[in-house]
Amino acid sequence: MSLSVNETSPEPARLKDLEALMALEESCFAPERRESRGSVRRSLLSPCQEVWVLRRGDRLTAAMTLRIFRKTLRLYSLAVSAEFRGRGLGEQLVRHAALRAGDLHISRLTLEVDAGDERLQGLYLRLGYHCHQSLPDYYGPGLAAYRYIQILSPPPTP
């Protein structure tokens, strides 16, 4: 049974999602690239960060952390449960980040992506991002990344 993108909408994560978010971190990221429990908890409580999730029933299937700056919205983390990959959930969250940027009157979105992950780079290119900068050793010695950026139409002045 496949999960349709329309079956669920992104919703803000809650503190009670902490355990599910930690399980998603563990299943999606190598140990040296995982966020700590304290860091995820701070993201959930911070007025300068937002954590958005997708659910299927009571099960958390994907999550995204956004960091909010005055002129930039940074997509800090994106994770999709292995069982639900390839169903458009990551794309749905990335598109939601652009909507949030508009809501916040921010026209610049940024993110970093592993230089070796061509599949994910292709997603970001399809969604209007472009490679802005090479970041040698970003994830550690010999582990490069690229910074991608998307400039949205200037939002209306509030």
Side-chain angles (χ1 to χ4, degrees):
M1 189 166 167
S2 74
L3 177 66
S4 156
V5 170
N6 296 324
E7 276 186 52
T8 185
S9 296
E11 63 183 61
R14 303 174 297 248
L15 197 52
K16 70 180 187 176
D17 293 321
L18 183 59
E19 292 307 316
L21 289 166
M22 292 311 301
L24 195 58
E25 278 286 316
E26 288 182 27
S27 71
C28 292
F29 301 110
E32 64 276 4
R33 291 176 63 178
R34 289 181 196 148
E35 289 297 307
S36 69
R37 177 178 303 284
S39 179
V40 173
R41 187 174 195 284
R42 282 188 296 278
S43 293
L44 289 166
L45 297 173
S46 172
C48 300
Q49 295 184 61
E50 296 180 350
V51 181
W52 291 86
V53 297
L54 292 172
R55 299 176 197 279
R56 181 164 198 188
D58 290 338
R59 184 165 176 212
L60 195 142
T61 57
M64 164 181 73
T65 301
L66 301 174
R67 293 194 171 169
I68 306 163
F69 300 93
R70 194 166 59 85
K71 295 182 178 183
T72 302
L73 184 64
R74 180 179 177 210
L75 197 165
Y76 179 73
S77 180
L78 179 66
V80 177
S81 174
E83 180 183 345
F84 292 92
R85 289 186 192 139
R87 299 181 188 190
L89 301 182
E91 180 173 340
Q92 185 178 0
L93 285 172
V94 174
R95 288 183 186 281
H96 188 72
L99 294 174
R100 288 299 300 142
D103 293 345
L104 297 166
H105 303 285
I106 295 172
S107 61
R108 177 184 154 124
L109 291 96
T110 64
L111 57 89
E112 293 79 31
V113 61
D114 188 313
D117 194 337
E118 293 179 8
R119 181 191 56 79
L120 200 49
Q121 291 173 44
L123 168 67
Y124 296 134
L125 290 170
R126 274 195 332 276
L127 294 176
Y129 287 80
H130 68 273
C131 187
H132 177 70
Q133 181 180 16
S134 178
L135 305 166
D137 302 323
Y138 183 79
Y139 293 115
L143 300 172
Y146 295 118
R147 178 160 294 128
Y148 276 61
I149 186 171
Q150 181 181 44
I151 305 296
L152 302 172
S153 301
T157 343

